[in-house]
Amino acid sequence: MNRPLSFDELQALGAALLKPAALTELGLLLGALALAWLLVWRLGKSRMDSQQRPLSVLFGRHVVDGVLFPLLALLLALGARRLVMHWGLPLALFKLAVPVLISLLAIRFTVRVLTVALPESNWVKLVERFVSWVAWLGSVLWITGLWPALMQELEDISWKVGGKALSLRSMLEGGLTAAVVLVISLWISSIIEARLLRNVTTDLSLRKIAVNLTRAVLLLVGLLLALSAAGIDITALGVLGGALGVGIGFGLQKLAANYVSGFVILAERSLRIGDMVKVDGFEGRISDIKTRYTVIRALNGREAIIPNETLITTRVENSSLADPQVLLTTLVQVAYGCDVEQVMAKLAEAVGGVERVLASPAPAVQLSSFAADGLELTVSFWISDPQNGQGGVRSDVNLTVLKTLAELGVEIPYPQRVLHQRTATAP
């Protein structure tokens, strides 16, 4: 069906649906839908577990949730319709089914692309409702034959902008074309992103910047094509570009600085995804680097969103930049009069056996000061997994030190005070 139905054809369609030949069309249509469902189920059987497979445009979380099911159903329905026409039977049910499948394909394609490209967006459900209403309304208007009358009414609503006449129909068609081009651009960029980020290796930051640049270029090209398809002269964007430059220079300076800083961080690899960093007193692991901000997740589960400009202009302590090994220390006091050299050797040996403590560089114990109540020893040891936290390994080392001192019979001194009591003499 390449054109909407007229009123007479609509009446003939209603009569044809009551004829026995409609049962043949119904059987072929149900067969096409069943075959499409079976093919999608077989092809996507290994993708049904969303925890193991990434989001996909063709395969959704369910069999009929992706784009592949309505696409295959539409192709099989078109093939069955040609078969009915070849048999010389009147078309009735397929005149209704084909527009419905086209609307379903448009809805599924738009929603799946937005879900994959913007997985954390709250606008997907709203867009899904809007696209569903527009698609189903267009399908009804097409089937009932009201589409040409509506298009003519929209064409009659026009006004002049400068020296050019614009109609409401041309603006709606241009907006629809622009939306389709942008959705396709998002789809292509999501495919490239999935392929670039398929394997997580040490080059994740480089692939991240490649993904961001690719998406930005594709969206820019898609926007230009969309504006051209909408009938907007792209050369007129020179004035807009100048105004945008002035806006960036004043109001959007911080925002532009964050975007540029994000690309600089990813390019020079001073900060990488997975690094343990400390920024402005907040310590954690970098979980993601966006174009505008960086997400740092602490070991207690809290997350901090740091603008990228802050990471460029302030001091950042990176525990994983050149070497993931981190030196930790703990203090302990022992009583005066003990064999301090033997205690130091035994403590170093005992700490070396603690889990997560590296054997090379080996733990060391130093006599750091002569305190008022005892000899202060500093126990130094290295770990190579700071992302797992420091409190646990420090506690294990302290317990080992306490156990070793108890085995050696060395006391940990506590503060002692001498009280002098004076008695008053009688006058």
Side-chain angles (χ1 to χ4, degrees):
M1 182 172 57
N2 299 323
R3 59 179 179 82
L5 297 176
S6 63
F7 180 74
D8 294 336
E9 290 174 335
L10 194 61
Q11 285 184 326
L13 175 62
L17 289 174
L18 301 177
K19 295 181 179 180
L23 296 177
T24 304
E25 292 185 85
L26 179 60
L28 291 175
L29 180 60
L30 293 178
L33 294 176
L35 181 58
W37 185 90
L38 181 61
L39 290 175
V40 175
W41 179 76
R42 292 296 299 174
L43 292 174
K45 189 175 180 180
S46 60
R47 297 176 175 266
M48 297 307 294
D49 188 0
S50 60
Q51 300 298 326
Q52 298 179 357
R53 292 288 184 175
L55 295 176
S56 172
V57 174
L58 296 178
F59 299 91
R61 299 187 184 276
H62 307 286
V63 176
V64 298
D65 194 29
V67 178
L68 190 58
F69 173 75
L71 178 61
L72 289 177
L74 178 60
L75 295 177
L76 292 174
L78 291 175
R81 189 186 68 168
R82 295 186 67 89
L83 185 61
V84 171
M85 295 173 61
H86 178 72
W87 289 343
L89 298 176
L91 289 176
L93 191 60
F94 280 107
K95 290 184 178 181
L96 302 177
V98 171
V100 171
L101 290 176
I102 292 176
S103 299
L104 180 61
L105 177 61
I107 295 170
R108 287 292 90 205
F109 179 73
T110 303
V111 172
R112 291 308 304 168
V113 169
L114 293 179
T115 303
V116 173
L118 307 171
E120 300 177 358
S121 177
N122 296 325
W123 292 86
V124 176
K125 290 294 183 182
L126 182 61
V127 173
E128 181 178 7
R129 286 198 195 94
F130 177 75
V131 174
S132 299
W133 276 101
V134 172
W136 295 129
L137 180 61
S139 179
V140 171
L141 293 174
W142 183 275
I143 293 173
T144 57
L146 298 177
W147 184 273
L150 178 62
M151 291 296 104
Q152 185 59 43
E153 291 295 330
L154 294 177
E155 185 68 30
D156 294 338
I157 303 175
S158 62
W159 58 89
K160 283 189 176 182
V161 178
K164 186 177 180 180
L166 290 177
S167 65
L168 184 57
R169 175 180 177 178
S170 62
M171 293 189 63
L172 291 177
E173 290 178 348
L176 180 61
T177 304
V180 171
V181 173
L182 288 178
V183 169
I184 294 176
S185 300
L186 282 175
W187 184 27
I188 297 175
S189 65
S190 64
I191 293 175
I192 296 176
E193 179 179 3
R195 291 189 177 275
L196 288 176
L197 298 179
R198 177 171 297 175
N199 298 318
V200 180
T201 63
T202 56
D203 295 328
L204 179 60
S205 297
L206 291 179
R207 291 202 300 275
K208 191 71 175 179
I209 189 174
V211 167
N212 292 336
L213 286 175
T214 303
R215 173 167 291 188
V217 170
L218 286 175
L219 288 179
L220 178 61
V221 173
L223 179 61
L224 294 178
L225 291 176
L227 293 176
S228 178
I232 300 176
D233 189 6
I234 299 180
T235 58
L237 295 179
V239 179
L240 178 61
L244 184 61
V246 175
I248 291 176
F250 289 96
L252 303 178
Q253 182 179 5
K254 289 292 184 181
L255 184 61
N258 286 324
Y259 276 97
V260 174
S261 300
F263 284 107
V264 171
I265 291 173
L266 290 171
E268 67 181 11
R269 303 183 67 187
S270 57
L271 297 174
R272 298 164 298 186
I273 297 176
D275 285 357
M276 286 294 299
V277 297
K278 185 176 183 180
V279 183
D280 194 21
F282 189 87
E283 185 175 6
R285 185 179 66 87
I286 297 179
S287 59
D288 199 1
I289 300 178
K290 303 289 188 180
T291 53
R292 187 182 64 84
Y293 60 88
T294 296
V295 180
I296 300 178
R297 181 178 179 85
L299 296 177
N300 58 6
R302 294 185 300 122
E303 288 186 339
I305 298 177
I306 309 297
N308 288 329
E309 185 187 13
T310 303
L311 301 177
I312 293 292
T313 58
T314 60
R315 189 186 73 175
V316 179
E317 298 181 14
N318 192 340
S319 302
S320 311
L321 179 59
D323 191 344
Q325 296 181 357
V326 177
L327 176 66
L328 302 179
T329 60
T330 186
L331 300 177
V332 65
Q333 286 189 0
V334 295
Y336 283 101
C338 67
D339 190 351
V340 65
E341 293 184 355
Q342 179 188 12
V343 171
M344 293 170 59
K346 291 293 184 180
L347 289 179
E349 180 182 356
V351 171
V354 176
E355 187 179 1
R356 294 181 58 193
V357 173
L358 298 179
S360 178
V365 181
Q366 298 172 333
L367 178 60
S368 53
S369 67
F370 299 96
D373 303 307
L375 299 173
E376 185 177 87
L377 303 179
T378 300
V379 182
S380 304
F381 56 94
W382 293 82
I383 62 174
S384 61
D385 54 350
Q387 69 276 6
N388 293 328
Q390 302 177 5
V393 65
R394 195 187 299 273
S395 176
D396 293 340
V397 169
N398 288 336
L399 290 174
T400 301
V401 170
L402 186 62
K403 181 180 179 181
T404 304
L405 293 179
E407 293 176 351
L408 295 175
V410 178
E411 295 183 356
I412 298 178
Y414 51 87
Q416 298 182 10
R417 298 294 180 264
V418 178
L419 179 63
H420 297 275
Q421 183 178 5
R422 291 184 177 183
T423 56
T425 58

